[in-house]
């Protein structure tokens, strides 16, 4: 398929809807600048759109309530004013914003006939989706560090992981999370977009936007994927290294009951790590050239919606202190 000034890469064809894959676009004097994009999302009849709206609305509400309850529990229960639960409360707060970066716009599109998003809104969504996802990866790193200290160095834990250090680490996560993709987003937004403006996805992401650019930008694309790969792989290696040391320490515990308690304590965090990084690796690190757009949507949906939805269940059901605090909060409310 020809584009505005050059051939569109084959790997981008999947992001065009079927009826546009055979069209040719030329770059002429009458070509206009794109002011909005169309997010196709999950095409289907009106009944299917209404069903999907109801489904994702319930998921979104449960995600907000579940993670919001964890935030309230950590704030209101003084027994949870420890670094481990402070990190968990901030992580739940992060998940609220992460799911909000995609789902509300998706819900609007289910009921919309035009399914449009403004040019500025599209790049804001891309920036916040990428930044919040990066912040989550950093948070999972310092949570792994916290688990390592608690189990491998329990006597030194209170003096090392102080509340002050905890807040400093959390601040670094937020700051560096939002700085990581600021340059890439600015570079991407400066590319020329002169049509078409239809994205076969439910959110604005790197590949769909690159597919619509009038001019090739290999440097911008390479920088983005090198940065994404480094962030994902390095944070995952750090977490895996922490858990290897943690596993060695747990196996040295003489009693089976002690080992079971240690595994139960960090099992919830390891579950979240597997879910989140599994989806990220499939999205940005593994080869996705041959994956159809539907598969890309499902992978992105799993990372951006399903994981935040499951987090309250994973953390609350496997933690006695958290379950007790949640009961207290629910009685207050």
């Amino acid at each position: 398929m020809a584009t505005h000034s050059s051939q569109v890469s084959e790997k981008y064809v999947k992001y065009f809807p079927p009826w546009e894959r055979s069209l040719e676009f030329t770059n002429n004097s009458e070509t206009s600048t794109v002011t909005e994009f169309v997010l196709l999302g999950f095409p289907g009849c009106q009944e299917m759109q209404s069903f999907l709206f109801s489904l994702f609305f319930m998921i979104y509400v449960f995600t907000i309530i579940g993670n919001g309850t964890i935030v309230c529990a950590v704030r209101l229960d003084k027994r949870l004013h420890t670094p481990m639960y402070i990190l968990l409360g901030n992580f739940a707060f992060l998940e609220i914003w992460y799911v909000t970066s995609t789902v509300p716009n998706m819900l609007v599109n289910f009921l919309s006939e035009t399914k449009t998003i403004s040019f500025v809104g599209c790049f804001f969504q891309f920036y916040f989706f990428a930044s919040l996802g990066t912040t989550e990866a950093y948070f999972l790193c310092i949570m792994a560090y916290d688990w390592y200290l608690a189990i491998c160095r329990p006597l030194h834990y209170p003096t090392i992981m102080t509340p002050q250090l905890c807040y400093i680490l959390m601040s670094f996560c937020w700051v560096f999370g939002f700085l990581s993709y600021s340059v890439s987003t600015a570079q991407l937004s400066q590319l020329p977009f002169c049509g078409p403006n239809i994205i076969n996805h439910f959110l604005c992401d790197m590949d769909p936007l690159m597919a619509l650019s009038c001019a090739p930008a290999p440097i911008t694309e390479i920088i983005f994927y090198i940065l994404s790969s480094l962030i994902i792989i390095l944070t995952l290696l750090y977490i895996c290294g922490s858990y290897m040391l943690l596993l060695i320490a747990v196996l040295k515990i003489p009693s089976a009951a002690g080992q079971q308690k240690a595994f139960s304590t960090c099992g919830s965090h390891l579950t979240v790590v597997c879910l989140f990084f599994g989806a990220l690796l499939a999205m940005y690190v593994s080869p996705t050239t041959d994956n159809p757009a539907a598969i890309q949507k499902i992978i992105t949906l799993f990372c951006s919606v399903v994981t935040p939805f499951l987090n309250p269940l994973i953390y609350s059901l496997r933690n006695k202190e958290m379950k007790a605090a949640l009961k207290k909060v629910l009685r207050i409310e």
Side-chain angles (χ1 to χ4, degrees):
M1 182 182 69
T3 68
H4 334 279
S5 59
S6 61
Q7 290 286 329
V8 169
S9 174
E10 286 296 324
K11 70 177 181 178
Y12 288 142
V13 173
K14 62 187 175 184
Y15 293 109
F16 288 92
W19 59 85
E20 287 196 347
R21 293 178 184 173
S22 61
L23 297 181
E24 291 188 354
F25 301 93
T26 58
N27 188 12
N28 54 49
S29 59
E30 298 180 356
T31 300
S32 59
T33 301
V34 169
T35 59
E36 62 183 18
F37 295 99
V38 178
L39 293 173
L40 291 184
F42 299 93
C45 61
Q46 187 58 45
E47 290 76 12
M48 177 59 70
Q49 296 294 297
S50 299
F51 169 76
L52 291 174
F53 173 85
S54 301
L55 174 64
F56 284 105
F57 179 76
M58 289 188 293
I59 291 175
Y60 180 65
V61 170
F62 179 85
T63 303
I64 298 298
I65 293 175
N67 285 286
T69 304
I70 290 177
V71 173
C72 293
V74 173
R75 184 168 182 81
L76 297 175
D77 194 329
K78 293 183 179 180
R79 294 173 299 177
L80 302 184
H81 291 180
T82 62
M84 181 178 71
Y85 290 107
I86 292 172
L87 288 171
L88 179 57
N90 273 265
F91 187 75
F93 178 74
L94 168 64
E95 292 289 61
I96 292 174
W97 288 106
Y98 189 44
V99 73
T100 301
S101 68
T102 57
V103 174
N105 186 71
M106 190 194 310
L107 294 175
V108 171
N109 284 348
F110 283 136
L111 303 180
S112 171
E113 293 183 359
T114 59
K115 302 183 183 299
T116 59
I117 182 172
S118 68
F119 183 90
V120 174
C122 185
F123 283 96
F124 265 114
Q125 184 187 58
F126 168 71
Y127 174 67
F128 279 102
F129 176 71
S131 298
L132 290 167
T134 304
T135 305
E136 181 164 341
Y138 295 157
F139 254 94
L140 290 172
C141 278
I142 62 173
M143 291 172 76
Y145 176 65
D146 180 71
W147 288 118
Y148 161 76
L149 290 177
I151 294 177
C152 297
R153 304 184 65 184
L155 298 179
H156 298 89
Y157 179 82
T159 57
I160 297 176
M161 184 56 78
T162 61
Q164 291 79 10
L165 177 60
C166 181
Y167 285 115
I168 290 173
L169 291 175
M170 289 190 300
S171 299
F172 279 146
C173 288
W174 285 100
V175 171
F176 285 106
F178 276 81
L179 286 177
S180 296
Y181 287 100
S182 56
V183 175
S184 294
T185 304
Q187 290 177 330
L188 185 60
S189 66
Q190 296 303 309
L191 296 178
F193 294 90
C194 47
N197 67 337
I198 299 178
I199 298 175
N200 191 12
H201 211 314
F202 65 86
L203 58 79
C204 297
D205 204 359
M206 186 67 175
D207 276 352
L209 288 171
M210 286 296 299
L212 298 181
S213 174
C214 299
I219 295 178
T220 299
E221 185 181 8
I222 290 171
I223 291 174
F224 175 83
Y225 282 106
I226 289 177
L227 179 62
S228 298
S229 298
L230 286 175
I231 291 173
I232 294 170
I233 293 174
L234 291 179
T235 52
L236 184 57
L237 286 176
Y238 179 85
I239 294 172
C240 291
S242 299
Y243 271 96
M244 286 296 294
L245 296 174
L246 191 149
L247 178 62
I248 294 172
V250 170
L251 293 177
K252 292 180 180 179
I253 298 176
S255 66
Q259 291 183 359
Q260 184 177 0
K261 182 179 179 181
F263 280 123
S264 177
T265 301
C266 60
S268 56
H269 180 253
L270 189 57
T271 303
V272 173
V273 168
C274 293
L275 292 174
F276 181 71
F277 278 96
L280 283 185
L281 288 170
M283 286 170 60
Y284 297 117
V285 179
S286 64
T288 58
T289 303
D290 298 328
N291 289 346
I295 300 299
Q296 288 295 101
K297 292 178 188 179
I298 292 173
I299 295 172
T300 308
L301 192 69
F302 190 86
C303 177
S304 61
V305 179
V306 176
T307 303
F309 170 74
L310 293 177
N311 280 350
L313 294 174
I314 293 171
Y315 282 112
S316 62
L317 293 179
R318 297 180 64 91
N319 191 298
K320 294 181 180 179
E321 292 83 1
M322 181 57 67
K323 284 192 287 186
L326 291 175
K327 291 178 181 178
K328 181 180 177 181
V329 170
L330 293 175
R331 281 201 300 269
I332 291 175
E333 295 177 345

